[in-house]
Amino acid sequence: MSKAFLQARLGLPLPVLTALIFFLVLLGAESGWIRAASPETGLPDYPWLKSTITELVALRIEPPKGFTRIPLENRSFGVWLRGLPLRPNARLVWLHNGLPKLNQSAHFAVLEVDVGEKDLQQCADAIIRLRAEYLRSQGCDDAISFHFTSGDLASWPRWRDGERPRVQGNKVSWTRSARQDGSYSNFRKYLDIVFTYAGTISLSKELQPVKNPARVEVGDVFIQSGSPGHAVLVVDVAANASGERAFLLAQSYIPAQDVHILRNPGSQISPWYTAKSAGELLTPEWTFRYEDLKRFPAVRCGGPRSQVAH
């Protein structure tokens, strides 16, 4: 996004605009929602984007009154999620087949994340997609692996190096049948295979239970495994002076559809949910229990962008 573009949109003199950008960068770095850009491109690591995005989760959605966003570690999964782009002025959630979703009352905002043309990127799949995209953006390719519902492990490095799974009933075997290819388009093909054979049952087994859901963190997952099951992703967390927390939820659903920020059925004006240690968590299309909260295990990856990612 260039200064010329912002100047045209905001109508500010260039010196004023420059000072404003400097202030926002300082504020973002301090509050933990601005994520470092890719050192290779200088651009945010959301490679599926095809156009300039002017709205982000952390910029459009203000915390509840008396709450501020919790601080996050630089380059963490939480910071990456806070920086996810929103579709400007989106009123509808669209299905993979180009039709509008029947229930248009569940969403508060729509993420600018493509769905694909197949009915694959459903609830657990959207969470897998975002987690995998984050790890790849941090140079943690070797840590990208997910289990099929059968229990077999499907790793991106294995797929990248040319191996492909052969699924026969509940048995999976891998054979080298393609050339080595670390491109983003091949990465997306890998994800489609994971979406085909993974789901809430397999994802739930990969996550760790959170002992106290009242201490929810960005990147946590509320998940009930089954056929059907459902899963939603915590994409932001704020806290008040007493330490009470509130959080935002994002989901895809069945059929595969735009990933969207959920409304809170208990509030007419706010998408934020109150964190609790136990009890029912009522979302627009599914009722969880707070005890259903789980967390991705920490991942340590090597290379020049090494870090511990949650």
Side-chain angles (χ1 to χ4, degrees):
M1 188 187 309
S2 66
K3 286 186 180 180
F5 174 84
L6 288 173
Q7 190 175 17
R9 285 292 300 269
L10 301 177
L12 296 174
L14 187 57
V16 176
L17 178 62
T18 301
L20 177 61
I21 292 173
F22 179 73
F23 171 75
L24 288 174
V25 169
L26 288 180
L27 178 63
E30 182 68 24
S31 61
W33 59 259
I34 284 185
R35 190 174 58 84
S38 163
E40 290 82 11
T41 65
L43 298 174
D45 290 321
Y46 304 109
W48 63 87
L49 293 180
K50 296 181 180 179
S51 60
T52 301
I53 297 298
T54 58
E55 294 187 306
L56 312 176
V57 170
L59 290 181
R60 189 202 294 183
I61 305 176
E62 292 292 330
K65 186 176 180 179
F67 285 72
T68 57
R69 286 182 161 88
I70 63 172
L72 299 173
E73 184 179 348
N74 186 37
R75 305 195 72 84
S76 67
F77 189 32
V79 170
W80 190 88
L81 290 172
R82 279 181 177 170
L84 282 171
L86 294 175
R87 191 170 299 163
N89 303 315
R91 296 184 179 182
L92 298 178
V93 170
W94 296 91
L95 304 180
H96 66 95
N97 57 10
L99 296 175
K101 179 180 177 177
L102 291 178
N103 181 10
Q104 294 290 340
S105 64
H107 65 281
F108 180 84
V110 180
L111 293 177
E112 190 64 86
V113 179
D114 61 289
V115 183
E117 297 179 355
K118 299 179 181 179
D119 188 10
L120 291 177
Q121 193 172 286
Q122 299 177 2
C123 61
D125 311 296
I127 295 171
I128 289 171
R129 162 85 185 276
L130 294 176
R131 179 65 175 177
E133 293 271 14
Y134 162 70
L135 290 173
R136 190 172 188 270
S137 77
Q138 304 305 303
C140 298
D141 291 63
D142 290 346
I144 300 174
S145 61
F146 300 92
H147 287 85
F148 293 161
T149 302
S150 64
D152 295 278
L153 186 66
S155 74
W156 159 237
R158 199 169 189 176
W159 179 281
R160 179 193 60 200
D161 292 343
E163 293 189 54
R164 296 292 182 267
R166 182 180 180 185
V167 180
Q168 293 181 310
N170 290 327
K171 295 183 179 180
V172 180
S173 59
W174 288 78
T175 58
R176 190 175 301 277
S177 58
R179 63 180 178 84
Q180 187 174 15
D181 182 359
S183 68
Y184 183 69
S185 61
N186 195 41
F187 175 67
R188 293 295 303 275
K189 291 177 182 178
Y190 158 76
L191 287 177
D192 279 350
I193 289 296
V194 174
F195 298 164
T196 301
Y197 296 109
T200 55
I201 294 174
S202 57
L203 180 60
S204 181
K205 293 177 180 178
E206 295 180 346
L207 302 174
Q208 300 173 342
V210 174
K211 292 182 180 180
N212 182 8
R215 303 300 295 171
V216 60
E217 295 182 3
V218 191
D220 286 352
V221 179
F222 286 95
I223 186 167
Q224 290 182 355
S225 62
S227 299
H230 193 40
V232 294
L233 179 66
V234 177
V235 294
D236 208 349
V237 174
N240 62 16
S242 300
E244 299 169 320
R245 296 194 172 193
F247 56 92
L248 294 175
L249 293 175
Q251 73 165 21
S252 179
Y253 205 51
I254 301 173
Q257 58 197 254
D258 288 329
V259 185
H260 47 280
I261 305 292
L262 289 172
R263 293 186 180 277
N264 181 348
S267 172
Q268 297 298 315
I269 60 173
S270 174
W272 293 86
Y273 290 77
T274 301
K276 299 178 182 179
S277 296
E280 284 191 343
L281 172 64
L282 179 64
T283 72
E285 295 179 299
W286 198 272
T287 299
F288 297 91
R289 294 195 63 80
Y290 279 90
E291 297 91 327
D292 294 326
L293 188 65
K294 292 191 173 185
R295 184 168 296 160
F296 282 100
V299 172
R300 185 178 298 275
C301 50
R305 300 162 76 181
S306 177
Q307 65 166 30
V308 176
H310 292 278

